[in-house]
Amino acid sequence: MTTNNLSGKNIVIIGGTAGIGLATAVAASELGANVWAAGRTQAHIDKAKELSAGSFEVRQADTHNADDLHAIFKEAGTIDHLVSAAIGGERTLKPFVEQTEDEFKAAYGKLWGYAKVVREGVSYVKENGSITLVSGSPARKITPNTSALSCVGGSVENMVRCLAVELAPIRVNVVSPGTIDTAMFDHLGDEKEERLRAMTSGHLIKRGGTAGEVAEGLIFAMNNNFVTGTTVDVDGGRILS
Ligand SMILES: NC(=O)c1ccc[n+]([C@@H]2O[C@H](COP(=O)([O-])OP(=O)(O)OC[C@H]3O[C@@H](n4cnc5c(N)ncnc54)[C@H](OP(=O)(O)O)[C@@H]3O)[C@@H](O)[C@H]2O)c1
């Protein structure tokens, strides 16, 4: 039988105004948690507020801005579960030798953002609480042109294992999505559906995942009090295909 440990808990989600973070905010608030979801742009904030209809709080924050983060952490007071799903860096997609050093480094904005969320937020997190980050299947599924994303994702997963050891008994986990139909691919415009179909045609489950399916992985990592230092793959079998 599944126990809902999230009712009445304070959950802060940086990168919670769209996609996987927003779906996690919705799922957690449906389970009775008090949720603060944050992102940078007004467009995402407005959409998230509309979806929340007051069931969770939506705030402005950039993962690279400590003042933004502290404003939310202080409002929450104490945090049971701290999540970051904020992209926070460039999605550098190029052969390694064609990347400039700056392009390679720009992908690491994601890691620095996660590191800042943890460093600034950990003192607010309860001893029996958790921190959950989001990596991505390129960390362990190697394909051409994804070296920057792969290195960053691998670093996020290793940072999580280090933090699980150093921050115990606070639990620290990472969820690794495969190819997921979110705003991250909105730049593809009308081609988005077709491109997602092509990207996933060789996967064990031949479709893009939904943000809600990945949110279930994040809910698991928060809800299960015996899981720490773990990578939860929600990827339609991508790393095996
Ligand atoms: N979708 C996929 O196929 C996929 C695959 C592998 C891994 N992932 C990872 O999953 C995580 C969530 O991605 P998603 O697909 O849900 O993307 P998304 O739909 O674009 O949502 C990203 C969220 O993060 C926020 N965000 C981005 N940069 C931020 C920053 N610097 N500070 C604060 N918030 C920021 C966005 O809001 P604003 O832009 O308004 O700030 C938005 O709320 C990311 O770490 C991504 O790398 C996704």
Side-chain angles (χ1 to χ4, degrees):
M1 193 205 290
T2 306
T3 306
N4 172 15
N5 295 315
L6 299 186
S7 183
K9 298 294 165 63
N10 288 354
I11 299 179
V12 173
I13 305 173
I14 308 301
T17 56
I20 292 163
L22 179 59
T24 305
V26 170
S29 76
E30 284 174 0
L31 289 169
N34 310 308
V35 177
W36 287 259
R40 294 163 307 168
T41 65
Q42 198 58 44
H44 281 154
I45 288 170
D46 289 345
K47 275 193 199 165
K49 278 189 175 165
E50 198 180 326
L51 187 72
S52 83
S55 62
F56 56 87
E57 304 299 330
V58 182
R59 298 287 181 264
Q60 193 282 330
D62 187 325
T63 185
H64 300 294
N65 184 316
D67 291 340
D68 286 358
L69 297 173
H70 278 287
I72 297 168
F73 299 154
K74 281 183 183 147
E75 191 184 336
T78 53
I79 300 173
D80 294 285
H81 302 289
L82 177 59
V83 171
S84 187
I87 296 174
E90 294 300 320
R91 297 192 72 247
T92 303
L93 290 166
K94 267 188 183 179
F96 180 77
V97 293
E98 291 177 20
Q99 291 166 36
T100 64
E101 191 174 325
D102 283 346
E103 285 172 327
F104 188 67
K105 282 181 178 168
Y108 274 82
K110 176 170 174 171
L111 180 74
W112 307 139
Y114 284 174
K116 193 177 280 287
V117 168
V118 174
R119 192 172 286 116
E120 304 299 330
V122 68
S123 62
Y124 298 83
V125 179
K126 287 185 180 170
E127 273 208 347
N128 61 351
S130 77
I131 297 171
T132 309
L133 306 179
V134 179
S135 59
S137 54
R140 281 164 291 126
K141 175 68 180 180
I142 308 303
T143 54
N145 304 328
T146 60
S147 56
L149 298 186
S150 182
C151 290
V152 173
S155 299
V156 170
E157 292 185 4
N158 229 32
M159 184 171 81
V160 158
R161 287 188 281 273
C162 295
L163 293 172
V165 169
E166 288 193 5
L167 302 181
I170 293 172
R171 298 181 297 104
V172 189
N173 295 292
V174 56
V175 173
S176 177
T179 303
I180 311 300
D181 184 355
T182 68
M184 200 176 85
F185 293 112
D186 280 355
H187 65 280
L188 297 174
D190 292 344
E191 291 176 21
K192 181 176 170 180
E193 200 176 318
E194 183 53 37
R195 292 278 293 278
L196 280 173
R197 196 175 303 124
M199 277 189 261
T200 57
S201 64
H203 297 180
L204 301 187
I205 297 174
K206 299 181 191 308
R207 64 171 174 83
T210 67
E213 286 168 328
V214 183
E216 286 181 27
L218 283 125
I219 294 291
F220 164 74
M222 288 188 269
N223 190 52
N224 187 309
N225 291 321
F226 202 54
V227 66
T228 191
T230 294
T231 302
V232 180
D233 290 310
V234 186
D235 66 358
R238 179 170 187 239
I239 59 171
L240 295 178
S241 59

